[in-house]
Every structure is written in structure tokens, then in C-alpha cells.
Amino acid sequence: MAASYDYEDAPSRHDEETGPQGYDPNFVPDSVKSFVTHLYRHIREKNVYEIHQMYETSFQTLSDHLFKDTPWPSVDAVANYVDNDHVVLHGVVNMQLPNQWLWDMVDEFVYQFQSFCQYRAKMKNKTEQEIALLRQFDQAWNVYGVLNFLQALVEKSSIIQILEQEKEGIEQFTATDGYDYSGGSNVLKVLGYFSMVGLLRVHCLLGDYHTGLKCLLPIDISQQGVYTSVIGSHIATIYHYGFANLMLRRYVDAIREFNKILLYIYKTKQYHQKSPQYEQILKKNEQMYALLAICLSLCPQVKLVDETVNAQLREKYGEKMARMQRYDDEAFSLYDELFSYACPKFITPSAPSFEEPLVNYNQDAYRLQLKLFLYEVKQQQLLSGVRTFLKVYSTISLGKLANYMEVDEPTLRTILMTYKHKTHAVDSEGKIISNADVDFYIDEDMIHVVDTKPVKRYGDYFLRQIVKFEGVINDMDRIKVE
């Protein structure tokens, strides 16, 4: 069993006689021979549990002990320990692999693309050798190649058709977490599934939010799915989904999904403390709280937020959110601060022009997205007066409101139309949806405010008080009275 393999005392490379020459790609330490042999056997047997244990634990331990600063041995070096099997060496897909491993493949692919684009965009201090290589391989990590590769995985896996058939009760893809218990392979199907999340992520990095959300449409994120079976996939999906909706002014959708994932992380993060991804989980958690603060400041739909999440949010950003409601220069700078902290690391996918003076352009995409976001915030600030008056009145005449706002009636009608436009958006199906916390309609010259008071929920409050009361009773039971 994988759990019985003890790699904690694995010797260092020098202990296993790597020699004075340093790294040798053909040298295979004994502990690696054992690891590869066992992994090969489990892959042949399609023993997903043991493969997952070796991938998550043993591989990490060996890497830390033996290969912290050097690559693993070459494919040719380990070939003899897997009988030169093409299943392991060349990725023939007739096998079952853990979802975590398959997600990491897609996640790392997108990360490498993103990192290369960031690296290539920092031209100012490049050496002549680096510039020569970039000039020679100017099509390396071409954005069309990356998108085509991910799209090809989606199409070859037939995952969209599988998910459609699942709705009709023909397939059981989600029920089995993507695994094939009939002796087949899960690799291509799950890679295709996670590639849809990868496409969302790439399009978000490019600033094409509509296309990104369109790529994710086959996955119903309002329900549990294979994407929730891996914590990294779950967080990445909702983070990019929520951010894309924020940029498209679909604030309600963003708030609803941020609330669900933040509540999930709050309840389960203690189970991931030993995971290599724990720090990334905490970072994304903080970023999504910042994005939720932005959404609620632009669209105060607090009724959509669970009380536990709301309490955490107020603790982290309560003061800033109060200041963001003032719609002045300080509030504007706070929107800038939170967006800059929480947004993805946008990329410019094009190669630099080597004929012009070399400059860094790695921040250009970020500055453009920030400019677009702040422009939207500025427009929302202009509507703050309308929202304030609408919250006070149930009905008010156009003339009276125009007088209060110190504008003429034609200008007021323009402002009200702008408010309607800014509080409505088009969803993925082309339907118009409302994000308004205060809505209205005009009948002749009268404005009628639609009552949107949230229904109070008492269940969570009483449950929390019951838990506190039980805690007090337990503490009292432990006190010894003389």
C-alpha cells in the first residue's frame, strides 16, 4: 500500500552515490526505483486510491528530499522499471488517474502559459541571449495554440455530449466523479471537463469574460459536479466565474457563487492544512472576500450572503465598505486598491516588437482592465443620489425628485434610464437580469418604487445560539464545585 511506503528517511542524492558530477539524468536512486515500480503496478491495476496516495504524498516527499534543485531522472532512465510500457511513458489514455492529478495537468498548463507571457513582457532587463531566444522562438506559447489545445481536449473527450446525456439520465459522469467503473478510462473525459475550466481561466486572463463564461456553460455550477471534487478546481472555477460576472455587471450571480464558495472554505479549510495547496487556498479566499466586498458595494444585495460569510466580510472589510458607499475620491481609491489586490494576473499574449526600444509591458493588460473597471465605478457613483432617494420613497413624482436632485425633468429621465441600464445585465442565455437592490417603474409622471425588503431568516441565528449555549453548558460541566 502507498501509505506504508516510508520516504521520510529517503537518503539524499549524495548518499545514493550520484557522484561528484552533480545531476545525472540517467541515475535512478533506489527509493525512486521502488516508487516508480509501485506506481506502475497501481496504474496497470487502475487502483485510483493508491495512485492518489503516491501522487499526493510519496511523490512530494521524494521531490523534497532528492530533487529540490534538480529534475527527476529522464524517461529513458526509468523505462526498465515499467517494462518500457507506453501507458506510463507516453501517456496512452487507457488508465484511471485521480482527478487531482488530471486537474493539476490542466492547471499547470495554463499557469506555464501565464508565467511565460509575464516573463516575455518584461523586456527591459533581458540579456542579449534571452532576447535572441525570444526572437528565434517568437511563436512559443502562442495564445491560439493554447486555446486550440484546450478546445481540442474538450472536443475529443466528447464531454459536452456526455454532460447533455447525463441530464437525460443516460450517463453517470457526475455521480461517479468522472471515474469509469466499467473497466474503461477516465483520463480523456476528465481532462476535457477540466479544460473547460482552463478555457474560462485563459479568457479571463485575456479580458474576454463573455467567451470565458460561454466555455463554462456545459457545467452547471449551481450544482455539485466533478469540478467540486478537487479543492483547487472548485476554487479556480468559482473565482474566475465570479470575477467574469463582476466585470460583466452580473453582480447577483457573482455574489451568489462567492458566498457559496467562501462558506465552503470556512467550513472545510482545516482539512486542507497539510495540503501543498493550503497557502493558495487561503490567498484565493482573501481575494474572493475582496471581490465580494466590491460586488456588495456596487450592488448591495446583502440578503444573498450567509450570516457567517457576512460576519467574516464585515470583520475584514466592514470599515472600507462603509467608506466605499460615500462615492468620493477616497471611495474611488478603495475600489482601485481592492481590485488590484483581488484581480487575476492579466496577460498580453502578443510577442514584443524587437524593432522598437525594449520596454516592460507586463502591466499593460492589468492597467487596461483596471481603467475599464474604475470607469464603471465612476458611472455607478453618479447614480448614488438616485438610489438614496428611491430608498426613502415608495412613490414620488418626477418633478419632485428632479427638484430634490437639482436637475430638470428631461435630465432626470436620462439619469433614471441610466440607472435602469446599470442595474440590469444580459446573462449567458441572452436574457436581461436585474441586479437592483432598489427597483422602480414610471407610470405617467409618478415613480413607483418596487418593494425589495428581504425576508428575514432566523434559522441560522438560532442554530448559532444553540451551539454557543451547548458550549457554555459543556464548560460548566467541566468546572468542579467544592
Short mmCIF file of all heavy atoms in Angstrom, two decimals, residues 281-340:
data_model
loop_
_atom_site.label_atom_id
_atom_site.label_comp_id
_atom_site.label_asym_id
_atom_site.label_seq_id
_atom_site.Cartn_x
_atom_site.Cartn_y
_atom_site.Cartn_z
N ILE A 281 -5.06 28.24 -1.18
CA ILE A 281 -6.47 28.26 -0.77
C ILE A 281 -6.75 29.51 0.06
O ILE A 281 -7.73 30.23 -0.16
CB ILE A 281 -6.83 26.99 0.03
CG1 ILE A 281 -6.79 25.76 -0.89
CG2 ILE A 281 -8.20 27.12 0.69
CD1 ILE A 281 -6.93 24.44 -0.15
N LEU A 282 -5.87 29.80 1.02
CA LEU A 282 -6.05 30.97 1.88
C LEU A 282 -5.95 32.27 1.08
O LEU A 282 -6.72 33.22 1.32
CB LEU A 282 -5.01 30.97 3.00
CG LEU A 282 -5.10 29.83 4.02
CD1 LEU A 282 -4.04 30.01 5.10
CD2 LEU A 282 -6.48 29.76 4.65
N LYS A 283 -5.02 32.32 0.12
CA LYS A 283 -4.86 33.53 -0.69
C LYS A 283 -6.11 33.79 -1.53
O LYS A 283 -6.63 34.92 -1.56
CB LYS A 283 -3.64 33.40 -1.61
CG LYS A 283 -3.42 34.62 -2.49
CD LYS A 283 -2.24 34.44 -3.44
CE LYS A 283 -2.09 35.64 -4.35
NZ LYS A 283 -0.97 35.46 -5.32
N LYS A 284 -6.61 32.75 -2.21
CA LYS A 284 -7.81 32.91 -3.02
C LYS A 284 -9.02 33.24 -2.15
O LYS A 284 -9.92 33.99 -2.56
CB LYS A 284 -8.08 31.64 -3.83
CG LYS A 284 -7.24 31.55 -5.10
CD LYS A 284 -7.75 32.52 -6.14
CE LYS A 284 -6.92 32.55 -7.40
NZ LYS A 284 -5.77 33.45 -7.33
N ASN A 285 -9.04 32.70 -0.94
CA ASN A 285 -10.12 33.01 -0.01
C ASN A 285 -10.15 34.51 0.28
O ASN A 285 -11.21 35.15 0.23
CB ASN A 285 -9.90 32.21 1.29
CG ASN A 285 -11.03 32.41 2.29
OD1 ASN A 285 -12.17 32.04 2.05
ND2 ASN A 285 -10.70 33.00 3.43
N GLU A 286 -8.99 35.08 0.56
CA GLU A 286 -8.91 36.52 0.85
C GLU A 286 -9.26 37.35 -0.38
O GLU A 286 -9.95 38.38 -0.28
CB GLU A 286 -7.50 36.87 1.35
CG GLU A 286 -7.13 36.26 2.69
CD GLU A 286 -8.09 36.68 3.79
OE1 GLU A 286 -8.40 37.88 3.90
OE2 GLU A 286 -8.55 35.80 4.55
N GLN A 287 -8.81 36.91 -1.54
CA GLN A 287 -9.12 37.65 -2.77
C GLN A 287 -10.62 37.65 -3.06
O GLN A 287 -11.19 38.66 -3.48
CB GLN A 287 -8.36 37.05 -3.96
CG GLN A 287 -6.87 37.36 -3.95
CD GLN A 287 -6.17 36.75 -5.14
OE1 GLN A 287 -6.37 35.58 -5.49
NE2 GLN A 287 -5.31 37.53 -5.80
N MET A 288 -11.27 36.51 -2.81
CA MET A 288 -12.71 36.44 -3.08
C MET A 288 -13.51 37.26 -2.08
O MET A 288 -14.58 37.78 -2.42
CB MET A 288 -13.17 34.97 -3.13
CG MET A 288 -12.72 34.26 -4.41
SD MET A 288 -13.44 32.63 -4.65
CE MET A 288 -12.57 31.68 -3.42
N TYR A 289 -13.03 37.39 -0.85
CA TYR A 289 -13.68 38.31 0.08
C TYR A 289 -13.58 39.74 -0.42
O TYR A 289 -14.54 40.53 -0.31
CB TYR A 289 -13.07 38.19 1.48
CG TYR A 289 -13.77 37.19 2.37
CD1 TYR A 289 -13.15 36.02 2.77
CD2 TYR A 289 -15.07 37.42 2.80
CE1 TYR A 289 -13.79 35.08 3.58
CE2 TYR A 289 -15.73 36.50 3.61
CZ TYR A 289 -15.09 35.33 3.99
OH TYR A 289 -15.75 34.41 4.79
N ALA A 290 -12.43 40.10 -0.99
CA ALA A 290 -12.26 41.45 -1.54
C ALA A 290 -13.21 41.67 -2.72
O ALA A 290 -13.83 42.74 -2.85
CB ALA A 290 -10.80 41.66 -1.97
N LEU A 291 -13.34 40.66 -3.59
CA LEU A 291 -14.25 40.77 -4.73
C LEU A 291 -15.71 40.85 -4.27
O LEU A 291 -16.52 41.58 -4.84
CB LEU A 291 -14.05 39.59 -5.68
CG LEU A 291 -12.71 39.53 -6.41
CD1 LEU A 291 -12.59 38.23 -7.22
CD2 LEU A 291 -12.52 40.74 -7.32
N LEU A 292 -16.02 40.09 -3.21
CA LEU A 292 -17.38 40.14 -2.67
C LEU A 292 -17.67 41.53 -2.10
O LEU A 292 -18.78 42.06 -2.25
CB LEU A 292 -17.56 39.07 -1.59
CG LEU A 292 -18.95 38.97 -0.94
CD1 LEU A 292 -20.03 38.69 -1.99
CD2 LEU A 292 -18.97 37.89 0.13
N ALA A 293 -16.67 42.13 -1.45
CA ALA A 293 -16.83 43.49 -0.92
C ALA A 293 -17.11 44.48 -2.04
O ALA A 293 -17.96 45.37 -1.91
CB ALA A 293 -15.57 43.89 -0.15
N ILE A 294 -16.42 44.32 -3.17
CA ILE A 294 -16.66 45.19 -4.33
C ILE A 294 -18.08 45.00 -4.85
O ILE A 294 -18.81 45.96 -5.10
CB ILE A 294 -15.64 44.89 -5.45
CG1 ILE A 294 -14.23 45.34 -5.04
CG2 ILE A 294 -16.04 45.57 -6.75
CD1 ILE A 294 -13.14 44.93 -6.02
N CYS A 295 -18.49 43.73 -5.02
CA CYS A 295 -19.83 43.44 -5.55
C CYS A 295 -20.92 44.03 -4.68
O CYS A 295 -21.88 44.65 -5.18
CB CYS A 295 -20.04 41.93 -5.67
SG CYS A 295 -19.06 41.13 -6.95
N LEU A 296 -20.79 43.86 -3.36
CA LEU A 296 -21.83 44.34 -2.45
C LEU A 296 -21.83 45.86 -2.34
O LEU A 296 -22.85 46.46 -2.03
CB LEU A 296 -21.65 43.71 -1.08
CG LEU A 296 -21.99 42.23 -0.99
CD1 LEU A 296 -21.61 41.66 0.37
CD2 LEU A 296 -23.48 42.00 -1.24
N SER A 297 -20.69 46.49 -2.61
CA SER A 297 -20.63 47.95 -2.59
C SER A 297 -21.31 48.52 -3.83
O SER A 297 -21.96 49.57 -3.77
CB SER A 297 -19.18 48.43 -2.51
OG SER A 297 -18.58 48.00 -1.30
N LEU A 298 -21.18 47.82 -4.95
CA LEU A 298 -21.82 48.27 -6.19
C LEU A 298 -23.28 47.81 -6.28
O LEU A 298 -24.10 48.44 -6.94
CB LEU A 298 -21.04 47.74 -7.40
CG LEU A 298 -19.63 48.29 -7.59
CD1 LEU A 298 -18.92 47.56 -8.71
CD2 LEU A 298 -19.67 49.79 -7.88
N CYS A 299 -23.57 46.71 -5.61
CA CYS A 299 -24.92 46.12 -5.69
C CYS A 299 -25.26 45.55 -4.30
O CYS A 299 -24.99 44.38 -4.04
CB CYS A 299 -24.94 45.02 -6.74
SG CYS A 299 -26.46 44.09 -6.86
N PRO A 300 -25.80 46.37 -3.42
CA PRO A 300 -25.99 45.97 -2.01
C PRO A 300 -27.05 44.88 -1.81
O PRO A 300 -28.11 45.13 -1.24
CB PRO A 300 -26.41 47.28 -1.33
CG PRO A 300 -26.08 48.37 -2.28
CD PRO A 300 -26.20 47.77 -3.64
N GLN A 301 -26.74 43.68 -2.28
CA GLN A 301 -27.68 42.55 -2.13
C GLN A 301 -27.23 41.66 -0.97
O GLN A 301 -26.90 40.49 -1.13
CB GLN A 301 -27.72 41.73 -3.43
CG GLN A 301 -28.28 42.49 -4.61
CD GLN A 301 -29.80 42.46 -4.65
OE1 GLN A 301 -30.44 42.23 -3.64
NE2 GLN A 301 -30.38 42.71 -5.81
N VAL A 302 -27.23 42.23 0.23
CA VAL A 302 -26.75 41.52 1.41
C VAL A 302 -27.61 40.30 1.71
O VAL A 302 -27.15 39.34 2.32
CB VAL A 302 -26.71 42.47 2.63
CG1 VAL A 302 -26.13 41.78 3.85
CG2 VAL A 302 -25.89 43.71 2.30
N LYS A 303 -28.87 40.31 1.27
CA LYS A 303 -29.77 39.19 1.54
C LYS A 303 -29.27 37.89 0.89
O LYS A 303 -29.69 36.80 1.29
CB LYS A 303 -31.17 39.51 1.04
CG LYS A 303 -31.26 39.71 -0.47
CD LYS A 303 -32.66 40.11 -0.90
CE LYS A 303 -32.73 40.33 -2.41
NZ LYS A 303 -34.07 40.75 -2.86
N LEU A 304 -28.38 38.01 -0.08
CA LEU A 304 -27.85 36.81 -0.75
C LEU A 304 -26.67 36.19 0.00
O LEU A 304 -26.20 35.12 -0.36
CB LEU A 304 -27.39 37.17 -2.17
CG LEU A 304 -28.45 37.69 -3.14
CD1 LEU A 304 -27.81 38.11 -4.46
CD2 LEU A 304 -29.52 36.64 -3.38
N VAL A 305 -26.21 36.88 1.04
CA VAL A 305 -24.98 36.44 1.74
C VAL A 305 -25.33 35.77 3.06
O VAL A 305 -26.11 36.31 3.85
CB VAL A 305 -24.05 37.65 1.98
CG1 VAL A 305 -22.78 37.21 2.70
CG2 VAL A 305 -23.70 38.33 0.66
N ASP A 306 -24.75 34.60 3.29
CA ASP A 306 -24.95 33.88 4.54
C ASP A 306 -24.40 34.70 5.70
O ASP A 306 -23.42 35.43 5.57
CB ASP A 306 -24.21 32.53 4.46
CG ASP A 306 -24.46 31.67 5.67
OD1 ASP A 306 -25.42 30.89 5.65
OD2 ASP A 306 -23.68 31.79 6.65
N GLU A 307 -25.02 34.56 6.87
CA GLU A 307 -24.61 35.37 8.02
C GLU A 307 -23.18 35.10 8.44
O GLU A 307 -22.47 36.01 8.89
CB GLU A 307 -25.57 35.11 9.19
CG GLU A 307 -26.97 35.68 8.95
CD GLU A 307 -27.87 35.56 10.16
OE1 GLU A 307 -27.34 35.41 11.28
OE2 GLU A 307 -29.09 35.60 9.99
N THR A 308 -22.72 33.85 8.30
CA THR A 308 -21.34 33.53 8.65
C THR A 308 -20.37 34.25 7.72
O THR A 308 -19.37 34.84 8.17
CB THR A 308 -21.10 32.00 8.55
OG1 THR A 308 -22.01 31.33 9.40
CG2 THR A 308 -19.68 31.65 8.94
N VAL A 309 -20.65 34.21 6.42
CA VAL A 309 -19.79 34.90 5.45
C VAL A 309 -19.86 36.41 5.67
O VAL A 309 -18.84 37.10 5.62
CB VAL A 309 -20.22 34.55 4.01
CG1 VAL A 309 -19.43 35.37 2.99
CG2 VAL A 309 -20.03 33.06 3.74
N ASN A 310 -21.06 36.91 5.95
CA ASN A 310 -21.23 38.34 6.16
C ASN A 310 -20.43 38.81 7.38
O ASN A 310 -19.83 39.89 7.37
CB ASN A 310 -22.71 38.68 6.35
CG ASN A 310 -22.98 40.17 6.28
OD1 ASN A 310 -22.40 40.88 5.45
ND2 ASN A 310 -23.82 40.65 7.16
N ALA A 311 -20.42 37.99 8.44
CA ALA A 311 -19.65 38.34 9.64
C ALA A 311 -18.16 38.42 9.33
O ALA A 311 -17.46 39.34 9.77
CB ALA A 311 -19.92 37.32 10.75
N GLN A 312 -17.66 37.43 8.56
CA GLN A 312 -16.24 37.44 8.15
C GLN A 312 -15.94 38.65 7.28
O GLN A 312 -14.89 39.29 7.42
CB GLN A 312 -15.92 36.15 7.39
CG GLN A 312 -15.97 34.89 8.22
CD GLN A 312 -14.76 34.76 9.13
OE1 GLN A 312 -13.63 34.91 8.72
NE2 GLN A 312 -15.03 34.51 10.40
N LEU A 313 -16.87 38.96 6.38
CA LEU A 313 -16.68 40.08 5.46
C LEU A 313 -16.61 41.40 6.23
O LEU A 313 -15.75 42.25 5.95
CB LEU A 313 -17.83 40.11 4.45
CG LEU A 313 -17.77 41.22 3.40
CD1 LEU A 313 -16.59 41.03 2.46
CD2 LEU A 313 -19.07 41.25 2.60
N ARG A 314 -17.51 41.58 7.18
CA ARG A 314 -17.52 42.82 7.97
C ARG A 314 -16.25 42.95 8.79
O ARG A 314 -15.74 44.06 8.99
CB ARG A 314 -18.75 42.84 8.90
CG ARG A 314 -20.08 42.87 8.16
CD ARG A 314 -20.23 44.14 7.34
NE ARG A 314 -21.32 44.03 6.38
CZ ARG A 314 -21.58 44.95 5.47
NH1 ARG A 314 -20.82 46.02 5.36
NH2 ARG A 314 -22.58 44.79 4.60
N GLU A 315 -15.75 41.83 9.26
CA GLU A 315 -14.50 41.85 10.04
C GLU A 315 -13.31 42.28 9.18
O GLU A 315 -12.45 43.03 9.61
CB GLU A 315 -14.25 40.47 10.65
CG GLU A 315 -13.02 40.40 11.53
CD GLU A 315 -12.81 39.00 12.10
OE1 GLU A 315 -13.81 38.27 12.31
OE2 GLU A 315 -11.65 38.63 12.32
N LYS A 316 -13.30 41.80 7.94
CA LYS A 316 -12.17 42.09 7.05
C LYS A 316 -12.31 43.44 6.36
O LYS A 316 -11.33 44.19 6.23
CB LYS A 316 -12.06 40.99 5.98
CG LYS A 316 -11.75 39.60 6.51
CD LYS A 316 -11.81 38.58 5.38
CE LYS A 316 -11.68 37.15 5.87
NZ LYS A 316 -10.34 36.87 6.42
N TYR A 317 -13.52 43.75 5.88
CA TYR A 317 -13.68 44.92 5.01
C TYR A 317 -14.84 45.84 5.42
O TYR A 317 -15.23 46.71 4.64
CB TYR A 317 -13.91 44.47 3.56
CG TYR A 317 -12.70 43.80 2.96
CD1 TYR A 317 -12.71 42.42 2.71
CD2 TYR A 317 -11.56 44.52 2.63
CE1 TYR A 317 -11.60 41.80 2.16
CE2 TYR A 317 -10.45 43.90 2.09
CZ TYR A 317 -10.47 42.54 1.86
OH TYR A 317 -9.38 41.93 1.31
N GLY A 318 -15.36 45.65 6.63
CA GLY A 318 -16.51 46.45 7.05
C GLY A 318 -16.26 47.95 6.98
O GLY A 318 -17.08 48.72 6.44
N GLU A 319 -15.12 48.38 7.50
CA GLU A 319 -14.80 49.81 7.51
C GLU A 319 -14.63 50.35 6.09
O GLU A 319 -15.14 51.42 5.74
CB GLU A 319 -13.52 50.05 8.32
CG GLU A 319 -13.15 51.52 8.46
CD GLU A 319 -11.83 51.71 9.19
OE1 GLU A 319 -11.37 50.77 9.88
OE2 GLU A 319 -11.25 52.81 9.07
N LYS A 320 -13.91 49.59 5.27
CA LYS A 320 -13.68 50.04 3.89
C LYS A 320 -14.99 50.08 3.10
O LYS A 320 -15.20 51.00 2.30
CB LYS A 320 -12.68 49.12 3.20
CG LYS A 320 -11.25 49.30 3.70
CD LYS A 320 -10.28 48.45 2.92
CE LYS A 320 -8.85 48.70 3.40
NZ LYS A 320 -7.85 47.89 2.67
N MET A 321 -15.86 49.10 3.31
CA MET A 321 -17.13 49.08 2.58
C MET A 321 -18.00 50.28 2.94
O MET A 321 -18.69 50.83 2.09
CB MET A 321 -17.87 47.77 2.86
CG MET A 321 -17.25 46.55 2.19
SD MET A 321 -18.10 45.01 2.60
CE MET A 321 -19.66 45.24 1.76
N ALA A 322 -17.94 50.68 4.22
CA ALA A 322 -18.70 51.87 4.63
C ALA A 322 -18.18 53.12 3.92
O ALA A 322 -18.96 53.97 3.48
CB ALA A 322 -18.61 52.03 6.14
N ARG A 323 -16.86 53.18 3.78
CA ARG A 323 -16.26 54.33 3.09
C ARG A 323 -16.51 54.27 1.58
O ARG A 323 -16.64 55.31 0.91
CB ARG A 323 -14.76 54.40 3.37
CG ARG A 323 -14.46 54.95 4.76
CD ARG A 323 -13.19 54.39 5.38
NE ARG A 323 -12.01 54.60 4.58
CZ ARG A 323 -10.85 53.99 4.81
NH1 ARG A 323 -10.74 53.13 5.80
NH2 ARG A 323 -9.80 54.25 4.05
N MET A 324 -16.62 53.07 1.04
CA MET A 324 -16.88 52.93 -0.39
C MET A 324 -18.29 53.37 -0.76
O MET A 324 -18.56 53.67 -1.92
CB MET A 324 -16.65 51.47 -0.82
CG MET A 324 -15.17 51.08 -0.85
SD MET A 324 -14.89 49.29 -0.80
CE MET A 324 -15.28 48.81 -2.47
N GLN A 325 -19.17 53.40 0.20
CA GLN A 325 -20.54 53.84 -0.07
C GLN A 325 -20.65 55.35 -0.21
O GLN A 325 -21.68 55.86 -0.64
CB GLN A 325 -21.46 53.37 1.06
CG GLN A 325 -21.67 51.87 1.12
CD GLN A 325 -22.35 51.33 -0.13
OE1 GLN A 325 -23.26 51.93 -0.66
NE2 GLN A 325 -21.89 50.18 -0.61
N ARG A 326 -19.58 56.07 0.16
CA ARG A 326 -19.65 57.53 0.15
C ARG A 326 -19.50 58.11 -1.25
O ARG A 326 -19.81 59.26 -1.50
CB ARG A 326 -18.58 58.12 1.07
CG ARG A 326 -18.82 57.84 2.55
CD ARG A 326 -18.17 58.91 3.40
NE ARG A 326 -16.73 58.96 3.23
CZ ARG A 326 -15.85 58.45 4.08
NH1 ARG A 326 -16.27 57.82 5.17
NH2 ARG A 326 -14.56 58.54 3.86
N TYR A 327 -18.96 57.34 -2.17
CA TYR A 327 -18.85 57.77 -3.57
C TYR A 327 -18.05 59.08 -3.71
O TYR A 327 -18.47 60.01 -4.38
CB TYR A 327 -20.24 57.94 -4.21
CG TYR A 327 -21.02 56.65 -4.22
CD1 TYR A 327 -22.04 56.44 -3.31
CD2 TYR A 327 -20.73 55.65 -5.14
CE1 TYR A 327 -22.75 55.24 -3.31
CE2 TYR A 327 -21.43 54.46 -5.15
CZ TYR A 327 -22.44 54.26 -4.24
OH TYR A 327 -23.14 53.08 -4.24
N ASP A 328 -16.89 59.13 -3.05
CA ASP A 328 -15.98 60.26 -3.22
C ASP A 328 -14.63 59.73 -3.70
O ASP A 328 -14.50 58.55 -4.04
CB ASP A 328 -15.84 61.06 -1.92
CG ASP A 328 -15.46 60.17 -0.73
OD1 ASP A 328 -14.97 59.04 -0.97
OD2 ASP A 328 -15.66 60.58 0.43
N ASP A 329 -13.63 60.61 -3.72
CA ASP A 329 -12.31 60.20 -4.23
C ASP A 329 -11.69 59.10 -3.38
O ASP A 329 -11.00 58.22 -3.89
CB ASP A 329 -11.37 61.42 -4.28
CG ASP A 329 -11.76 62.39 -5.39
OD1 ASP A 329 -12.49 61.95 -6.31
OD2 ASP A 329 -11.35 63.56 -5.34
N GLU A 330 -11.92 59.16 -2.07
CA GLU A 330 -11.38 58.12 -1.19
C GLU A 330 -12.01 56.76 -1.52
O GLU A 330 -11.33 55.74 -1.58
CB GLU A 330 -11.64 58.47 0.27
CG GLU A 330 -11.03 57.45 1.24
CD GLU A 330 -11.41 57.69 2.69
OE1 GLU A 330 -12.28 58.55 2.93
OE2 GLU A 330 -10.85 57.01 3.56
N ALA A 331 -13.32 56.76 -1.74
CA ALA A 331 -14.01 55.52 -2.12
C ALA A 331 -13.46 55.00 -3.44
O ALA A 331 -13.24 53.79 -3.61
CB ALA A 331 -15.51 55.77 -2.23
N PHE A 332 -13.23 55.90 -4.37
CA PHE A 332 -12.68 55.53 -5.68
C PHE A 332 -11.34 54.83 -5.53
O PHE A 332 -11.06 53.81 -6.18
CB PHE A 332 -12.54 56.80 -6.52
CG PHE A 332 -12.39 56.56 -7.99
CD1 PHE A 332 -13.42 55.99 -8.73
CD2 PHE A 332 -11.21 56.89 -8.64
CE1 PHE A 332 -13.28 55.77 -10.09
CE2 PHE A 332 -11.06 56.67 -10.00
CZ PHE A 332 -12.10 56.10 -10.72
N SER A 333 -10.49 55.36 -4.64
CA SER A 333 -9.16 54.76 -4.42
C SER A 333 -9.28 53.39 -3.74
O SER A 333 -8.44 52.50 -3.97
CB SER A 333 -8.28 55.69 -3.58
OG SER A 333 -8.81 55.83 -2.27
N LEU A 334 -10.32 53.20 -2.92
CA LEU A 334 -10.51 51.90 -2.27
C LEU A 334 -10.93 50.84 -3.29
O LEU A 334 -10.50 49.68 -3.21
CB LEU A 334 -11.56 52.02 -1.16
CG LEU A 334 -11.11 52.74 0.11
CD1 LEU A 334 -12.29 52.95 1.05
CD2 LEU A 334 -10.00 51.95 0.81
N TYR A 335 -11.79 51.23 -4.24
CA TYR A 335 -12.13 50.30 -5.32
C TYR A 335 -10.87 49.90 -6.09
O TYR A 335 -10.67 48.72 -6.44
CB TYR A 335 -13.13 50.95 -6.28
CG TYR A 335 -14.56 50.91 -5.82
CD1 TYR A 335 -15.21 52.06 -5.39
CD2 TYR A 335 -15.28 49.71 -5.82
CE1 TYR A 335 -16.54 52.03 -4.98
CE2 TYR A 335 -16.59 49.67 -5.41
CZ TYR A 335 -17.22 50.82 -4.98
OH TYR A 335 -18.53 50.77 -4.57
N ASP A 336 -10.02 50.87 -6.36
CA ASP A 336 -8.74 50.62 -7.04
C ASP A 336 -7.90 49.63 -6.24
O ASP A 336 -7.37 48.64 -6.78
CB ASP A 336 -8.00 51.96 -7.20
CG ASP A 336 -6.71 51.84 -8.01
OD1 ASP A 336 -6.10 50.74 -8.01
OD2 ASP A 336 -6.29 52.83 -8.63
N GLU A 337 -7.80 49.86 -4.94
CA GLU A 337 -6.98 49.00 -4.07
C GLU A 337 -7.48 47.57 -4.04
O GLU A 337 -6.69 46.61 -4.21
CB GLU A 337 -6.99 49.60 -2.66
CG GLU A 337 -6.25 48.76 -1.62
CD GLU A 337 -6.52 49.24 -0.20
OE1 GLU A 337 -6.71 50.46 0.00
OE2 GLU A 337 -6.54 48.39 0.71
N LEU A 338 -8.78 47.39 -3.83
CA LEU A 338 -9.33 46.03 -3.73
C LEU A 338 -9.26 45.29 -5.06
O LEU A 338 -8.97 44.09 -5.11
CB LEU A 338 -10.78 46.08 -3.23
CG LEU A 338 -10.99 46.55 -1.79
CD1 LEU A 338 -12.46 46.41 -1.39
CD2 LEU A 338 -10.12 45.78 -0.82
N PHE A 339 -9.55 46.00 -6.15
CA PHE A 339 -9.48 45.37 -7.47
C PHE A 339 -8.04 44.92 -7.76
O PHE A 339 -7.82 43.79 -8.23
CB PHE A 339 -9.94 46.35 -8.54
CG PHE A 339 -9.92 45.78 -9.95
CD1 PHE A 339 -11.02 45.10 -10.45
CD2 PHE A 339 -8.80 45.92 -10.76
CE1 PHE A 339 -11.00 44.56 -11.72
CE2 PHE A 339 -8.77 45.39 -12.04
CZ PHE A 339 -9.87 44.71 -12.53
N SER A 340 -7.07 45.78 -7.50
CA SER A 340 -5.67 45.46 -7.78
C SER A 340 -5.20 44.26 -6.96
O SER A 340 -4.40 43.45 -7.43
CB SER A 340 -4.78 46.67 -7.48
OG SER A 340 -5.16 47.77 -8.30
#
